[in-house]
Amino acid sequence: MSGHDVPAEPDAGPHDAGQGEYPVEWEADVVLRDGSTTHVRPIRPSDAPALQRFHMGQSERSTYLRFFANIERLSDRDLARFTVVDHDERVALVAVKRVGEGSREDIIGVARFDKVTPHEAEVAFNIADAEQGRGLGSVLLEHLAVAARERGVRRFSAEVLPQNGKMLAVFQEAGYATSQHVDDGIVAVSVDLDPTERSRAVMADREHRAEARSMHGLLTARRVLLVGPGPTAEPGTASRLMAERVLANALTDPGDGTFDVVGVAPPAGFDDPSAEPAEPAERGAEPDSADSADDDGAAGSPAVRFFARLADVPGPVDLALLALPPHEAIAATAELERLGVRAVVVLSAGYAETGPEGVALRRELLRTAHAAGMRVVGPATYGLFTTHVEHRLNASLAEVLPPAGSIGIFCQSAPTAVTLLATALRRGIGVSSFVSAGHRADVSGNDLMQFWQDDPETSVVCLYLESIGNPRKFSRIARRLASVKPVVVVTAGRSGQVVPPGHAVRSTRAPRRTLDEMLRQSGVIHAENTHHLVDIAQLLAYQPLPSGRRIGLLTSSAALTALVAEAVGSAGLVVSDRSGFVAEDADDDEVEAAVAAIFAPDACDVVVAVHVPTVRPRGEAFSRAVARAAAASGRTTVASVLGMHGLAEELSAPDPTNPDGPPVHVPAYSTPEDAVAAVGAVVGYARWREADHGTVERPTGVDSDGARALVEGALVGDTVVDLDPQDVGRLLAAYGIELWPSRRVRTADEAVAAAHEIGWPVALKSTAESLRHRADLGGVRLDIGDEDELRDDVEQMRETLAAVLPGVLGPGAGTDGHGEQGGPAPFEVQRMSDAGVACVVRSTEDQLFGPVVSFGLAGDAVDLLGDVSYGVPPLTDVDVATMVRSIRAAPRLFGYMGAPVADTAALEDLIARVSLMADELPELRSVEIYPVVVAEHGAAVLGARVQVAGAQRADTLRRALPG
């Protein structure tokens, strides 16, 4: 059966959850289609009363579609059957919301499955009538599918009435491989739970729409509530100062909305400090024009109103700002539900940065807000503002805002916000919207990127990231956003591995270059620092993208031209042969002629104009001529003119294509080097936009189910387990990777027998960890063609082992060819591969980044010099090709010094298969394929090791908020 299902009570704790151990890891807060939030968790026996309320609240039609009969009440037996589950053979998840000011939870949706075979389960859904259309069904299907895969289920089946179109659509639109047929008037549906490219795309699209809608509600708020610490707060405390700052900003300019204030005293002389509570307006209705016409609230209720208690605020309210200590903030958040608040901005600190008790407070804040449908910005946030037409709002601590513009800015800590906004204000560059996430408990840069992708007011996205909580999700969102709008990122310490106090971030052991590679794959511009970020942003916001990398230089001296040309070359750009200079004593005609020459058709792709007079006062002729030419030609232009920084009237000119529109600005830079660095970054981004990024193609001959069964059979909880060589071979074979056979032997006789079995010539290798692959230390003998040579090599290697690592041969081992039979075999025999280039491919499951695939040539020098490329799956065919070609030793694969050209297509196919394996199996803690010998034809995998342990990946195939 399939359709809708059941509601819930206060937290009863995990220990009352029926027969099986309560899987707390399945709990999650999620964003729904309308931008609100809800909590999803496993059902508990204590949910029985809530389930009954849910059932009785359903219409007869909904009950009939779910149970194929009209059932007015659930029997006690049914309630027990539905709420007491083992979380293994029988699983049920509920979506819940808080009701009233108490802690009662009501169920608004239920999803369950019951296994009918070890790998198939019958599934059913039930969504509250009042909650239809919010995307609950698709969210519950995602979460139930993840739980099912963890329990070994690979297929859902369901029986659905034909008239239950909504439930059929949930299955059909999920993107999984689905089949259905009609039998006796019932639609039998079968859903294959293996993720597909379409199911991943569907989830990403739903995630994008829901999170963008959530941020839209945040940044278009019209009715704002400020809650301060009250009159008892000591003067000068952080909470009081924050509340007073926000209030002062609202009184100066409330924007296009209204502010209700609780717990902050009105300033002396305020006309109406005890405004009568207004009648509650319908949610979503626009305020009367009189409400926001003037700061003093003339002709209607004032733009800023004061209330004695939170209970007196009439609502509805779109956005709440809290300047309260943690316990009071949590209590206030619970009260905000009745007002229909969409988001809470927590200005005060005092949460996770204070220790374990603060972490618990952070979790309670999130749970309280999400259960009431609210997002959380903060804690310790600087606030947010938007300059959107008809949605102007300053809900921040900034007293003076930058002008309106097209740059969206996200940052985390308040001090960083102060720096960024002061820089933007000083340069005069325009900002569309700004959000400081503080300790980033909930709203993050990912959410803002989702919103800015569709925001017509934003053309450039800037993010200052002190930490990245979910790099895989960041990469996925940034790559999609960067394909349509530039994304400029500064990471703390360049590595992005800084964990500031109060931030909940997983630890990482990934190399520092991993973040750079992830950003490069995503098309993100990685700025060096805040100054560099703003340099790049002002170019992107006020000039078109460059059409190429030829740079035309126009300076005020020959020496300057030479110096700037050096900077251009260092940035990987090319100096146009049309470059030149115009002397500082040149007249206006000479200036115009020089400018016309550098802006001539096909003279260059970008113009860098530099004017630094030495003895004469700086005139305006050079700047104005450059501005007019830039506006007329549409060519990317930057300038470094003495005394100018950011936007200057002197470097602006009317746009000939839109005379009534805004002028064209040529951004000014403090130094020519700054200008060139910005141009270099933007040229790189423009080339990325134009390039083919390839596709994530699934290689042929892959048995994902077989591989997963093998890995799950080897797991021992969270213990790291080394797969034995046979299982390693079977695992690789499931992904179409052939591991060349080898035999471990103890004696020369066994070695000769193995060579006859696998074929001559052979290689003899030591199995000792410190001598593996070490021909220079006597641990490898190659190209052995007959028995006598093999016997000699066995004896010589035995002597080497006895001298270097005497314990390897076991106690009592001598030199007569007969070692101790009980210990591990000290030798390995393997058939020789064709000559080629030895390479190594690895994958590591990192707690923060997830799977990280690396590639390099084999050898100590490569390891010592760090000549390794990295990629974060899923990898496209272009990503894989770039990994192979980006290492410094790559020429050895392409005929270096007359050597044969290696079969890089076979190598790339191998890396793609390892990438897919690492992406699909989060239990793979490490994979090392070494050596891989890439010959003229084919790539031979001669050795491999695999370690497995319980999955720990943060970014799964379900939508979930941090918490």
Side-chain angles (χ1 to χ4, degrees):
M1 292 182 294
S2 183
H4 317 290
D5 213 315
V6 205
E9 284 279 302
D11 283 349
H15 300 294
D16 71 345
Q19 302 168 3
E21 182 178 352
Y22 183 82
V24 67
E25 67 275 11
W26 289 352
E27 292 198 13
D29 295 327
V30 297
V31 182
L32 301 177
R33 183 181 300 160
D34 61 358
S36 64
T37 60
T38 193
H39 186 66
V40 174
R41 60 167 173 80
I43 203 166
R44 302 166 180 154
S46 58
D47 288 325
L51 184 57
Q52 187 73 274
R53 291 196 302 272
F54 170 82
H55 177 80
M56 296 181 66
Q58 295 290 80
S59 66
E60 289 186 5
R61 173 180 169 80
S62 294
T63 302
Y64 179 77
L65 293 177
R66 167 64 180 92
F67 295 103
F68 296 6
N70 289 322
I71 302 174
E72 184 177 346
R73 288 179 61 90
L74 295 173
S75 67
D76 291 344
R77 181 179 178 182
D78 282 338
L79 284 174
R81 180 166 61 91
F82 288 149
T83 58
V84 180
V85 297
D86 61 6
H87 307 296
D88 184 14
E89 298 290 320
R90 300 179 61 242
V91 170
L93 302 179
V94 291
V96 298
K97 70 175 182 180
R98 290 189 188 274
V99 176
E101 296 184 6
S103 59
R104 195 188 88 180
E105 286 182 340
D106 272 359
I107 294 174
I108 59 177
V110 180
R112 65 174 64 252
F113 71 75
D114 293 79
K115 285 186 180 180
V116 293
T117 72
H119 301 298
E120 182 175 350
E122 190 174 76
V123 65
F125 293 85
N126 200 359
I127 307 301
D129 290 342
E131 307 294 336
Q132 297 281 342
R134 298 176 64 203
L136 267 173
S138 61
V139 164
L140 286 171
L141 176 58
E142 284 176 17
H143 286 247
L144 196 67
V146 169
R149 284 193 290 268
E150 290 184 14
R151 297 299 188 250
V153 175
R154 294 292 173 265
R155 181 176 294 104
F156 278 162
S157 60
E159 293 181 347
V160 186
L161 290 174
Q163 58 267 44
N164 195 351
K166 289 182 179 179
M167 189 50 55
L168 290 171
V170 167
F171 291 126
Q172 293 166 352
E173 295 172 3
Y176 296 111
T178 304
S179 62
Q180 62 183 55
H181 66 275
V182 179
D183 187 10
D184 290 335
I186 303 296
V187 181
V189 181
S190 178
V191 182
D192 189 339
L193 297 183
D194 284 335
T196 65
E197 287 304 310
R198 182 167 175 264
S199 69
R200 292 175 187 269
V202 167
M203 190 199 78
D205 183 63
R206 287 172 172 169
E207 179 184 64
H208 165 70
R209 284 184 283 130
E211 292 175 356
R213 185 69 177 270
S214 177
M215 293 302 97
H216 181 269
L218 178 71
L219 292 170
T220 59
R222 300 296 294 270
R223 301 173 180 86
V224 181
L225 171 64
L226 169 64
V227 183
T232 58
E234 291 290 331
T237 60
S239 295
R240 181 163 177 173
L241 290 174
M242 290 173 180
E244 290 172 348
R245 173 72 64 83
V246 174
L247 174 59
N249 292 340
L251 291 171
T252 301
D253 181 5
D256 293 315
T258 61
F259 277 77
D260 291 340
V261 182
V262 175
V264 189
F270 187 76
D271 291 337
D272 189 10
S274 56
E276 289 296 324
E279 289 297 320
E282 183 179 351
R283 181 165 180 76
E286 295 298 322
D288 294 336
S289 59
D291 289 351
S292 55
D294 300 292
D295 291 353
D296 60 4
S301 59
V304 179
R305 305 181 302 177
F306 291 81
F307 296 88
R309 300 177 306 157
L310 187 54
D312 296 333
V313 178
V317 171
D318 301 320
L319 178 69
L321 284 77
L322 305 182
L324 298 168
H327 288 287
E328 295 178 30
I330 294 168
T333 300
E335 290 189 64
L336 295 175
E337 181 184 4
R338 71 173 182 84
L339 299 175
V341 174
R342 298 171 180 169
V344 179
V345 177
V346 183
L347 299 168
S348 304
Y351 294 84
E353 77 277 11
T354 64
E357 292 184 3
V359 172
L361 289 171
R362 173 182 174 275
R363 288 175 180 156
E364 186 178 357
L365 171 68
L366 290 179
R367 180 64 192 279
T368 302
H370 291 163
M374 293 178 276
R375 301 298 304 272
V376 177
V377 180
T381 171
Y382 197 68
L384 59 92
F385 69 80
T386 175
T387 62
H388 288 199
V389 176
E390 297 183 358
H391 290 289
R392 292 185 309 108
L393 169 68
N394 183 9
S396 77
L397 300 176
E399 295 178 279
V400 182
L401 302 182
S406 63
I407 301 174
I409 299 178
F410 170 87
C411 72
Q412 290 167 0
S413 71
T416 302
V418 172
T419 301
L420 279 169
L421 295 181
T423 302
L425 185 64
R426 184 171 62 252
R427 297 195 190 194
I429 61 176
V431 176
S432 62
S433 49
F434 165 86
V435 175
S436 161
H439 292 165
R440 194 180 47 75
D442 179 7
V443 170
S444 71
N446 291 340
D447 295 290
L448 272 300
M449 286 194 292
Q450 302 276 38
F451 169 74
W452 281 324
Q453 179 176 330
D454 303 323
D455 179 26
E457 304 290 334
T458 301
S459 64
V460 180
V461 172
C462 293
L463 304 102
Y464 189 108
L465 303 177
E466 297 169 30
S467 63
I468 304 177
N470 190 339
R472 281 169 62 82
K473 181 177 178 180
F474 174 89
S475 177
R476 183 174 70 245
I477 297 172
R479 189 164 193 158
R480 181 168 58 180
L481 174 57
S483 66
V484 293
K485 296 178 182 180
V487 181
V488 192
V489 171
V490 171
T491 55
R494 283 287 295 175
S495 68
Q497 295 172 321
V498 176
V499 183
H503 290 231
V505 183
R506 293 182 172 212
S507 61
T508 178
R509 294 184 177 179
R512 289 179 175 269
R513 287 172 49 202
T514 303
L515 178 63
D516 290 330
E517 292 298 321
M518 184 193 76
L519 296 179
R520 183 197 60 76
Q521 284 178 222
S522 305
V524 167
I525 303 173
H526 197 178
E528 296 285 342
N529 48 48
T530 302
H531 178 81
H532 192 209
L533 176 139
V534 180
D535 280 347
I536 296 169
Q538 68 181 25
L539 171 54
L540 290 165
Y542 294 100
Q543 287 289 302
L545 286 178
S547 58
R549 64 191 192 105
R550 297 175 304 146
I551 310 300
L553 303 178
L554 182 61
T555 75
S556 55
S557 75
L560 264 179
T561 302
L563 291 173
V564 180
E566 175 64 22
V568 169
S570 298
L573 307 173
V574 177
V575 178
S576 168
D577 56 10
R578 303 284 187 90
S579 299
F581 70 94
V582 54
E584 61 180 273
D585 60 350
D587 59 30
D588 291 355
D589 291 339
E590 290 174 318
V591 170
E592 291 287 350
V595 170
I598 201 67
F599 279 95
D602 202 36
C604 60
D605 302 310
V606 180
V607 173
V608 177
V610 183
H611 186 54
V612 183
T614 55
V615 294
R616 291 176 174 79
R618 179 178 62 79
E620 296 184 358
F622 181 88
S623 302
R624 294 199 178 279
V626 168
R628 288 193 299 270
S633 66
R635 187 169 302 166
T636 309
T637 306
V638 296
S640 179
V641 177
L642 186 66
M644 293 188 191
H645 199 199
L647 303 188
E649 188 276 333
E650 192 175 308
L651 278 168
S652 64
D655 184 353
T657 63
N658 184 18
D660 297 328
V664 174
H665 291 278
V666 174
Y669 295 83
S670 299
T671 69
E673 290 80 6
D674 287 346
V676 171
V679 169
V682 174
V683 167
Y685 168 71
R687 296 177 71 181
W688 182 88
R689 278 271 291 263
E690 294 173 356
D692 175 16
H693 304 301
T695 56
V696 179
E697 297 180 356
R698 187 177 182 85
T700 58
V702 173
D703 179 13
S704 299
D705 289 343
R708 172 155 293 285
L710 188 154
V711 169
E712 289 176 348
L715 291 175
V716 184
D718 292 330
T719 303
V720 177
V721 176
D722 289 281
L723 294 188
D724 62 47
Q726 291 74 27
D727 281 344
V728 171
R730 285 193 285 269
L731 175 63
L732 296 183
Y735 281 89
I737 301 170
E738 179 189 1
L739 176 61
W740 279 38
S742 64
R743 300 291 183 269
R744 293 201 169 193
V745 299
R746 292 184 173 82
T747 67
D749 289 341
E750 290 180 3
V752 170
H756 282 303
E757 178 187 354
I758 61 180
W760 301 86
V762 298
L764 179 69
K765 309 174 185 179
S766 168
T767 60
E769 183 68 27
S770 58
L771 295 180
R772 286 177 63 86
H773 317 301
R774 295 301 301 269
D776 56 332
L777 297 180
V780 179
R781 302 296 175 92
L782 302 175
D783 207 20
I784 305 170
D786 56 45
E787 288 189 24
D788 292 340
E789 186 180 1
L790 179 56
R791 290 181 184 277
D792 289 343
D793 284 337
V794 168
E795 295 310 316
Q796 292 176 21
M797 189 174 292
R798 183 180 298 279
E799 293 174 3
T800 299
L801 291 176
V804 178
L805 298 170
V808 170
L809 297 178
T815 59
D816 60 354
H818 299 283
E820 189 76 17
Q821 295 297 312
F827 309 115
E828 184 177 17
V829 177
Q830 188 174 51
R831 182 166 60 87
M832 283 291 298
S833 66
D834 293 338
V837 181
C839 303
V840 57
V841 178
R842 295 185 176 98
S843 175
T844 302
E845 182 73 19
D846 185 71
Q847 288 192 82
L848 181 63
F849 287 92
V852 179
V853 176
S854 65
F855 164 75
L857 301 193
D860 286 349
V862 170
D863 290 337
L864 291 171
L865 296 174
D867 189 17
V868 179
S869 61
Y870 297 92
V872 178
L875 300 176
T876 69
D877 51 351
V878 173
D879 292 333
V880 171
T882 300
M883 284 184 66
V884 170
R885 289 157 179 78
S886 62
I887 59 174
R888 295 190 294 277
R892 289 190 56 196
L893 296 166
F894 297 95
Y896 180 70
M897 298 291 288
V901 176
D903 188 351
T904 53
L907 175 60
E908 290 168 13
D909 179 71
L910 171 64
I911 296 174
R913 292 175 186 274
V914 172
S915 170
L916 176 64
M917 180 172 65
D919 196 31
E920 289 189 337
L921 299 173
E923 296 85 2
L924 299 184
R925 285 293 172 90
S926 69
V927 176
E928 180 184 76
I929 300 182
Y930 176 38
V932 179
V933 178
V934 188
E936 282 189 86
H937 304 288
V941 176
L942 304 183
R945 296 193 211 177
V946 176
Q947 291 184 326
V948 299
Q952 56 182 3
R953 191 172 297 175
D955 187 42
T956 62
L957 294 172
R958 63 171 193 165
R959 288 171 280 170
L961 291 171

